[in-house]
Amino acid sequence: MSSFKDMRIVDNFYQTSSFIPMPTICISTMNPDGSFNIGSYSLCFPYYIAGKSRYAMVLECRNTSNTCMNLLRTKKCALNFITDEKETFKEAVRLGFPGPSEEKMKDLKFRTEPGIADPSDPLRPPVIRSAFQVFECTWADELENASKFRAEDIDDGHPGPYNDFNGITSKYGAHFILYIDKILMKEKYYDAIVNGVKNTSFPPVPVDYGYRDSTNFWYTRFPKFGKPVSEPIPAPKEADISSIRFAADRCDDVVKFTDEALMNFVKVPRPFLKTVLNGCVNWAKENNVTLITNEHVKIINDKRAQEKAQRK
C-alpha cells in the first residue's frame, strides 16, 4: 500500500494542490499613459542558462493582468527581487491582487529609481530601490511569432488561437520568454559574488510556498532557516587516460591531442568531457592547429578565464 494520498490536480495546481518553494518578485512595466505598474509574481524562473546567444527568464502570468498587457505593448520589464521584511511582503501581496493600475499604484509603498539598461527609453520601467537584485528584460516576441498578439484582443481572456510556449498560451494564460539585458546588484551582494560568498553573504530572500487558501498567502522569512549551510561538492573522480583518449579521438578526424594535453581533463566530470574537448577542437581549427599539446590547453584555459572575468 502506498504511503501517499492521490491529490487531485486542478487549475493553479501549484497553489491549490501542492507546496512548491518559489521566489517572490515584483515586476515593473510601463502603462500606456506613461505611468508605471508593479505586479507581484512567483512563477518566474531561469529559462536560457547556457549555450545561447542570450540568457533568459520565463514568466507565467494571467493574460488579463496589467503586466501582461504592458509587456505585449512595450516588450520591456524589470524583475525586482525583494527582501523578506514583513512590510515588504505585505506590499507585495497587495500589489499581487488584480485591479486597475492607477488604484494600486497611488498607495505604492516602494521607492523607485531609473534602471541602467537604457534610462532614456520611455518604455523602460523604473526599478524598486530596496530590491537586492533586478533583472532588466526584453520580451523575446520573435519566438513562436508571439509578436502577433495584441493587448486590444484581450477582454474576458483571449479568444485564441494560442501559442505553446511564448505569448498567449490559453484563454487566461500567458508565457513570456524574457531576455536578460542587465543584472543590477546591490553593492554588498555584488562584492560577495565577485570576491567570494560566505554564509553571511546571502540576501534575506522570502520563500513563497505556492499554496494559498482563501485568506492568506504563506511564506517563510529567511532567518527562519538560520544562516545558509554549505555542503561540499564531491570531488570528481579522475578518469582513466584511455577513456579520455577514446572520447578525444572521436571528436574530429583531423585535430588530435597529445597524451600530455589530455591529462588536463582527468578531473572533468564525464557529462562535460565532450563539450570541453569540442571546445578545444574549435579553438584548434580557428588557429590552424592539428595537434593540441599541453601548451595549447594552457592558452585555451587562459582565454576562457579572461572571457569569464570580462563577463563579471
Side-chain angles (χ1 to χ4, degrees):
M1 178 178 290
S2 174
S3 61
F4 295 93
K5 300 287 290 185
D6 184 5
M7 177 64 75
R8 187 166 65 98
I9 304 173
V10 297
D11 284 356
N12 294 323
F13 69 90
Y14 71 97
Q15 289 182 327
T16 56
S17 306
S18 60
F19 301 96
I20 301 177
M22 298 182 291
T24 302
I25 65 174
C26 293
I27 301 180
S28 48
T29 54
M30 296 302 297
N31 293 320
D33 63 0
S35 63
F36 67 93
N37 179 77
I38 297 178
S40 300
Y41 293 89
S42 287
L43 298 177
C44 191
F45 310 98
Y47 191 73
Y48 290 154
I49 61 169
K52 293 281 189 178
S53 59
R54 301 189 68 175
Y55 304 109
M57 301 285 285
V58 60
L59 166 68
E60 303 169 40
C61 65
R62 292 178 300 106
N63 62 35
T64 55
S65 67
N66 297 313
T67 299
C68 175
M69 299 284 194
N70 288 342
L71 271 171
L72 290 175
R73 187 178 55 83
T74 69
K75 327 296 184 192
K76 309 290 177 62
C77 69
L79 312 181
N80 302 272
F81 291 76
I82 61 173
T83 49
D84 70 355
E85 293 82 5
K86 187 172 182 180
E87 288 303 311
T88 298
F89 195 80
K90 181 178 180 180
E91 179 70 346
V93 170
R94 185 184 74 83
L95 293 170
F97 274 81
S101 179
E102 61 272 15
E103 291 184 9
K104 294 198 298 180
M105 297 301 291
K106 68 180 180 181
D107 296 320
L108 183 68
K109 302 296 192 300
F110 294 138
R111 296 174 63 191
T112 62
E113 63 182 63
I116 65 173
D118 188 355
S120 64
D121 184 351
L123 300 182
R124 286 281 181 190
V127 304
I128 295 176
R129 181 172 294 183
S130 59
F132 66 87
Q133 71 180 10
V134 180
F135 293 177
E136 292 191 274
C137 299
T138 299
W139 177 34
D141 66 339
E142 75 279 7
L143 299 177
E144 207 178 5
N145 192 30
S147 59
K148 65 188 176 186
F149 295 110
R150 296 287 182 270
E152 294 76 18
D153 297 330
I154 300 173
D155 185 13
D156 179 25
H158 192 285
Y162 309 116
N163 279 3
D164 291 321
F165 64 88
N166 190 38
I168 306 300
T169 52
S170 67
K171 183 175 181 180
Y172 296 111
H175 286 64
F176 292 96
I177 298 174
L178 303 170
Y179 289 135
I180 300 174
D181 301 316
K182 293 286 184 181
I183 293 181
L184 286 59
M185 187 79 62
K186 283 296 171 64
E187 184 175 6
K188 174 182 178 180
Y189 305 114
Y190 173 93
D191 290 343
I193 290 177
V194 171
N195 299 320
V197 173
K198 302 176 182 178
N199 66 350
T200 56
S201 304
F202 290 80
V205 180
V207 177
D208 173 358
Y209 279 97
Y211 175 81
R212 68 176 175 89
D213 53 32
S214 60
T215 57
N216 297 297
F217 276 91
W218 297 84
Y219 85 110
T220 296
R221 296 186 66 182
F222 186 80
K224 290 289 286 186
F225 297 109
K227 295 177 182 178
V229 177
S230 62
E231 180 66 26
I233 298 171
K237 296 180 180 178
E238 292 191 4
D240 181 82
I241 187 65
S242 62
S243 65
I244 300 177
R245 167 63 64 193
F246 181 85
D249 287 345
R250 281 154 182 76
C251 284
D252 192 79
D253 294 334
V254 176
V255 178
K256 299 301 177 183
F257 295 77
T258 65
D259 284 346
E260 187 181 20
L262 293 179
M263 286 300 296
N264 289 280
F265 311 125
V266 294
K267 292 186 178 181
V268 174
R270 181 50 61 96
F272 305 121
L273 180 59
K274 185 176 180 181
T275 299
V276 171
L277 293 173
N278 282 336
C280 293
V281 169
N282 292 338
W283 176 89
K285 290 186 174 181
E286 291 172 359
N287 292 273
N288 297 318
V289 172
T290 57
L291 182 63
I292 298 176
T293 67
N294 188 50
E295 290 303 314
H296 292 138
V297 174
K298 290 180 180 178
I299 294 171
I300 294 169
N301 288 338
D302 288 344
K303 180 174 180 288
R304 287 174 178 164
Q306 292 172 4
E307 291 173 347
K308 184 177 181 180
Q310 288 173 356
R311 286 197 295 269
K312 289 182 178 181

